[in-house]
Structure formats: C-alpha cells, structure tokens
Amino acid sequence: MVVVSDLPSALRLPKRHFNALDLSRLFAAVAVLFWHYLHFTMPPGINRAPTNFGTLEPLHGVFAALYDHGHLAVQYFWIVSGFVFAHVYLGDSAARERFWTARIARLWPLHLLTLVVVAALQALYVARVGRSFVFAPNDVTHFLLNLGLAHYWGFQSGMSFNGPSWSLSVEILAYAVFWTMLPMLRERRLGIAAALSCGGAIAAIYAPGLGLWPCLGYFFGGTAAYFVLLRAWNWVWLLPVTAAIGLALAFRFDPEPQTIFPYGALWVVSLFALALTIDWFDRADLLAFGRKLGDASYGTYLWHFPIQLTIVLVLDRLPGGRELSQHWGILAIYLAAAIGAGFASHRWFERPAQRAVLAAAARLERGQGVPQPAAPLSVSAIQPPPTTRSPA
C-alpha cells in the first residue's frame, strides 16, 4: 500500500501503513476459496450443490466456519477498501485527476486476462458436458458487459464467466460515488461518509436485489471509520473495546450468519475493528510483511475460479471423477494453486501491467501537454464472492 506524500495532517492518520489490514485481505481471500469449494460437489452438468454438501467437503469439521461463512469476506473487503481509499486519496490534491488511471491500471489487466482464460475453459467444459460450469450465461452480451466491468449493474441475466468478479463490478460503482463526492468528503467529512453508509445499508434492506447497496454501506462505513479515527486518534484504545464487544454480540446474536444483508454485519465490523486494533499495537511495524502478503489477495481471488474449473476438467477424466474432491489432497492442491497463482500473478503480471498502463497514460498526457502526476502504485482492490450459498 503506497501512500502519497502530500497528505495534510488534518486528513491523514499518523500511522502510515496498516499492515494488519493488508494481511487480513489475504485471509479474506482464502475464506472465499473455502466458500466456493462447494462447486466441486456438483455433479457434471448440474449447477446446484447437493443438500448434503457439508458432508462432501474435506475436513469440514476443521474448516466449518470458512466453508459455511466465507461469503462474509466480500463485505470485509468492501469495508477495508473504504478505509484504505480514505487514507490514500482524501488529502491528495491530485486525487481526482489520477484516480481512474490508477484504478484501471490496478484492476483491469488481471480482470481481462482471467475473463479470457475462463471463456476458453468454459468452452472446453461446454463441449464436454453441454452446459457451463456454475456460472452462466456466457454469451457475447455478457462477455461485453464483463469487458466493461458492468456485468453486475442490473443488466445481467446471471453471474457469468469469472463469476466472483461480480463484486468488483459493483465496487467500481462505489469508486465512482467516492470520486464524485471527494470534494464534499473533504469538507464535511464524517457526516457525508456516514450518510452514504447508512443510505446504502437502508437500501440494501429494502431493495436487496442490487449488490451495489450493501457495497456502498460497507465501503463508506470504512470511510466513516477513518474519519472517526482522525478525530479521536488519542482515544484509539477504544478499538479493542469495540472489537471485543462486537465479537461478543456477534457470538450471542448472530451465531448463524445468513447471506442477506445485514446478517453477518456484526462479524464484519468487529473483525475490521480487530485488525485496526492489531495495527494500533504494531507501533514497530513488526507486521510489515503483511503488505506483500496482502498484495496476493487480488490475484488469489480472481484466479481461484479458473483454477477450480481446470481441476474439474481433470477430475472428470479420472476414475472416481468429481468424488475425488472429497479428499483433503484435492483441497490442498486447490488452495496451493490459487494462493500460489496470487503471488505469481502479482509479481509477474499485475505489477508489470500496472506500470505499462501508467506509463501509457503518462505518454498520452504528455502528448496533450498535460503534466502527469505520479499515481499511487497500489491501492486495496477488493473483489469478493457471490452472496448466495447456492450458485445456481
């Protein structure tokens, strides 16, 4: 996470890096891997998990919380994004000019690559089975929507191609609201962020069909939390109290988080407060390694479905077929491949592609006689999973 250097003290927390938040992004991505393991339990050609999928997932007793509630990682990603964007952009005088170039450079290259890979893999699966694996329709219209990251704006007939990227699609809309409201956020600060968060939360309760609403609620909840800490940094010791009380209430009143907002919100907010608490105690930056680990979260998230589809194509050719996924060895291969792909992708594809896009934008602006400010090289790009246990 790179923070620009011209942040005035009034809009910048004294802590430069939030290493625990970065590290928690990778943990959240791993939670998504477990949540989507149910895809392996679907018989070929049937895009619905059996009712006893919990007995088919390997080591379910050990990882039950992740298997059953890993979808909450999406909301966690959103709230962290809102906090990080406030930290990076609020005090940057050139934020609105550089914002979309930085976002495109960070998000689109890997999204486009995984979109093409999934399209090719789905073509193989359809040729063999007769229908797409898990996510459909995968037609030209939905491919074009995916190209523009507009595939979950309400125009879709369902989740398509690299289905988990749906959350990135709605988060782009939250980015647009943040970019539009940035001047007002700087002036009114907490009130605007809180109003946007509450508005998104209320809309999510009364109009649950659009994924944008809970995204806005959590995203600007993270922004509001940043403003609260700006005003009360000397009272930041209340963070562990908040985390402890929140987790106690979550255990008491939300023991079985559902997939519809606002269920699970206590867990998300409390775990977010816990990560901030760890960062507050980490005065010596002992968790600095968390920055590099967190960088792998985006790739891990976007590569896990194409890796899953690849494994399924192989399993369906082996004696025993899809039932082999009930063995812990397949779970280990899947986790290792997805997490490894996240690290490899960030080093050998995402960073070079990001630099190439930023360099191309700089050349374009120089050609137009407009000076190009340095863009932040890394901002939390959060892309979480479907909010329904049944992907059909």
Side-chain angles (χ1 to χ4, degrees):
M1 182 191 305
V2 176
V3 181
V4 291
S5 60
D6 62 340
L7 288 168
S9 58
L11 290 171
R12 180 185 178 185
L13 287 174
K15 188 171 182 63
R16 182 175 177 84
H17 295 288
F18 290 84
N19 303 313
L21 280 185
D22 272 336
L23 182 58
S24 70
R25 289 161 47 205
L26 181 59
F27 290 150
V30 171
V32 175
L33 302 186
F34 279 94
W35 167 255
H36 280 158
Y37 199 84
L38 86 161
H39 295 163
F40 288 117
T41 68
M42 302 174 186
I46 300 177
N47 288 351
R48 184 175 295 276
T51 56
N52 65 332
F53 59 81
T55 65
L56 304 178
E57 296 164 329
L59 304 178
H60 189 277
V62 177
F63 299 112
L66 298 176
Y67 278 127
D68 298 341
H69 309 307
H71 66 284
L72 293 180
V74 62
Q75 291 95 330
Y76 185 81
F77 277 134
W78 286 336
I79 199 171
V80 171
S81 283
F83 186 91
V84 169
F85 273 48
H87 189 48
V88 172
Y89 288 114
L90 281 178
D92 179 6
S93 59
R96 299 195 83 217
E97 291 75 18
R98 78 175 88 210
F99 183 88
W100 287 111
T101 301
R103 293 294 82 218
I104 290 171
R106 180 68 184 98
L107 303 180
W108 256 273
L110 184 59
H111 168 68
L112 296 180
L113 176 60
T114 55
L115 171 62
V116 171
V117 170
V118 169
L121 291 172
Q122 286 285 24
L124 291 175
Y125 190 86
V126 170
R128 181 182 299 176
V129 178
R131 62 177 298 175
S132 296
F133 177 64
V134 184
F135 301 112
N138 295 323
D139 52 26
V140 173
T141 298
H142 285 82
F143 187 85
L144 293 176
L145 288 174
N146 273 270
L147 280 178
L149 274 172
H151 54 292
Y152 216 73
W153 291 3
F155 309 117
Q156 75 282 353
S157 299
M159 294 179 187
S160 56
F161 293 99
N162 195 5
S165 67
W166 77 271
S167 59
L168 176 58
S169 177
V170 297
E171 193 171 348
I172 286 290
L173 297 176
Y175 294 169
V177 176
F178 181 87
W179 179 82
T180 302
M181 301 298 294
L182 189 53
M184 296 182 68
L185 285 170
R186 286 170 175 153
E187 293 176 4
R188 294 177 176 84
R189 304 184 184 180
L190 178 58
I192 294 295
L196 289 168
S197 179
C198 291
I202 293 171
I205 294 172
Y206 290 100
L210 190 61
L212 170 63
W213 302 132
C215 179
L216 287 178
Y218 282 107
F219 185 94
F220 285 100
T223 303
Y226 190 84
F227 282 129
V228 169
L229 290 182
L230 277 176
R231 295 185 176 190
W233 183 250
N234 291 333
W235 292 76
V236 76
W237 56 269
L238 289 174
L239 274 174
V241 177
T242 301
I245 293 175
L247 288 173
L249 291 173
F251 275 110
R252 174 62 180 85
F253 296 107
D254 205 1
E256 295 292 336
Q258 304 299 309
T259 58
I260 302 173
F261 185 87
Y263 298 106
L266 274 173
W267 290 103
V268 173
V269 174
S270 302
L271 291 173
F272 173 63
L274 179 61
L276 287 176
T277 298
I278 295 172
D279 271 321
W280 177 56
F281 280 109
D282 185 26
R283 306 293 177 85
D285 266 356
L286 297 178
L287 295 177
F289 65 89
R291 300 171 206 166
K292 291 187 179 297
L293 296 182
D295 285 338
S297 61
Y298 184 40
T300 298
Y301 184 80
L302 281 191
W303 279 114
H304 84 273
F305 181 71
I307 286 172
Q308 199 169 54
L309 183 47
T310 302
I311 293 175
V312 163
L313 286 167
V314 173
L315 289 182
D316 288 349
R317 289 292 192 183
L318 297 177
R322 203 72 62 85
E323 292 184 1
L324 293 173
S325 65
Q326 299 174 31
H327 191 276
W328 64 266
I330 300 299
L331 171 65
I333 291 172
Y334 164 61
L335 294 176
I339 296 171
F343 283 100
S345 175
H346 183 263
R347 179 174 180 180
W348 287 302
F349 180 77
E350 294 169 53
R351 290 180 64 186
Q354 189 176 14
R355 287 193 293 264
V357 172
L358 293 175
R363 288 194 299 270
L364 179 62
E365 294 209 12
R366 282 197 300 269
Q368 295 174 344
V370 179
Q372 168 69 8
L377 292 181
S378 176
V379 181
S380 178
I382 316 305
Q383 321 48 36
T387 53
T388 170
R389 186 57 172 157
S390 173

